[in-house]
Amino acid sequence: MSRRQTGSTRRNGNAFPFTGAFLHSKSKTSPLLSVGLVLVGAFLLIGYAYSGSVFKSDKAATVSRVEGDFSCTLDVQRAIPVLKKAYGDSMHKVLHVGPDTCTVVSSLLKEEETEAWGMEPYDVEDADSSCKRLVQKGIVRVADLKFPLPYRAKSFSLVIVSDALDYLSPKYLNRTLPELARVSADGIVIFAGYPGKQRANIPELSKFGRPAKMRSSSWWIRFFVSTSLEENEVVIKKFEQAASKSAYQPSCQVFHLKSFN
């Protein structure tokens, strides 16, 4: 009798039939549960990645806005289409003078029928590989603005300066501005900071060796007169009209000067 019961238990596979039924049911539902957990995890990862990308983009936009408040060089890049409309053929051969000139030159070279060169007022040891290639090709030069520019007279149709003259004292401005006029044929565009609205970037401050001094427009105009440089009224009107049409609002002061005859 006991043997038959033992044999019956072995044939059923378990001495406790309800336990067997539970285990059989669990084996069916556990793959579904695993799939559900995987899907939930995937959704959570996608949501985290998306929120992270939004955060990064917002952060980048914030950094860009902050740097734009303190950098006239970024203003130059935004102004390129406006400058082309204002200067026309004079934008065919351009020299940019100022820090981060490699970025400006790269943007200018993307424009049709535009040749561009740059001059850095300090060393480019920490520059990226693309900037160093521009230096190796001779497109960008490193030179001190306190000395004569390494170019022949009227080498460029237009000279654009940004984030450089604010660091020079009047003593050196008396040398540099005539040099900019000497190497330009059709004009000079100066991007200078507003007093009280802009301050020097720490890297630029350490490179130039002195803090930037933001001067008023009336100060600059008096200085231009003292160095026999005239504002180009015709180009000023064209620039303002083009800026209005394209909704471009400079974050820096922009001066348009005539070259020496």
Side-chain angles (χ1 to χ4, degrees), residues 1-250:
M1 191 68 159
S2 61
R3 288 181 182 272
R4 281 195 295 272
Q5 289 176 347
T6 302
S8 174
T9 301
R10 287 179 180 176
R11 282 194 299 270
N12 290 335
N14 199 316
F16 304 95
F18 291 102
T19 303
F22 172 76
L23 290 175
H24 184 64
S25 173
K26 184 176 180 181
S27 66
K28 287 184 179 180
T29 57
S30 101
L32 294 176
L33 182 61
S34 300
V35 171
L37 290 174
V38 170
L39 290 175
V40 171
F43 282 122
L44 289 174
L45 287 174
I46 292 172
Y48 176 78
Y50 177 77
S51 62
S53 65
V54 171
F55 172 75
K56 289 179 181 178
S57 63
D58 290 343
K59 183 178 179 182
T62 303
V63 170
S64 178
R65 284 195 296 272
V66 170
E67 291 179 349
D69 288 339
F70 304 146
S71 174
C72 292
T73 299
L74 292 176
D75 219 17
V76 173
Q77 292 178 258
R78 295 192 300 114
I80 289 176
V82 180
L83 290 169
K84 289 192 71 174
K85 292 179 180 179
Y87 282 91
D89 293 339
S90 296
M91 285 288 289
H92 287 171
K93 198 170 185 179
V94 182
L95 170 68
H96 175 261
V97 179
D100 199 22
T101 191
C102 290
T103 304
V104 177
V105 169
S106 298
S107 298
L108 287 168
L109 290 174
K110 294 176 183 178
E111 300 292 325
E112 294 183 3
E113 300 180 356
T114 299
E115 299 177 24
W117 287 264
M119 200 182 87
E120 281 277 357
Y122 53 80
D123 201 1
V124 291
E125 287 184 357
D126 299 331
D128 57 25
S129 58
S130 60
C131 182
K132 290 181 178 179
R133 283 195 296 269
L134 291 174
V135 174
Q136 291 171 355
K137 293 178 180 178
I139 296 175
V140 171
R141 291 189 181 186
V142 180
D144 194 333
L145 292 179
K146 298 175 183 177
F147 298 96
L149 302 183
Y151 303 104
R152 295 179 180 178
K154 301 187 184 301
S155 296
F156 310 95
S157 55
L158 188 67
V159 174
I160 304 173
V161 192
S162 63
D163 292 327
L165 300 185
D166 292 327
Y167 291 88
L168 297 179
S169 65
K171 172 185 175 181
Y172 290 110
L173 282 173
N174 276 319
R175 301 178 187 178
T176 303
L177 276 175
E179 277 293 290
L180 296 172
R182 180 185 65 83
V183 301
S184 64
D186 298 334
I188 311 161
V189 186
I190 296 174
F191 287 76
Y194 280 105
K197 291 185 179 180
Q198 285 137 329
R199 59 183 174 80
N201 285 325
I202 298 302
E204 292 177 8
L205 179 61
S206 62
K207 296 286 187 179
F208 279 95
R210 69 186 303 273
K213 186 173 183 179
M214 307 305 177
R215 292 135 174 153
S216 66
S217 59
S218 59
W219 187 97
W220 279 111
I221 291 171
R222 288 195 302 269
F223 193 84
F224 298 149
V225 172
S226 70
T227 53
S228 301
L229 287 168
E230 299 179 28
E231 288 191 277
N232 194 328
E233 298 294 341
V234 175
V235 171
I236 290 174
K237 290 180 181 179
K238 290 182 179 179
F239 183 85
E240 290 175 350
Q241 291 172 356
S244 178
K245 290 181 180 179
S246 61
Y248 165 71
Q249 294 182 347

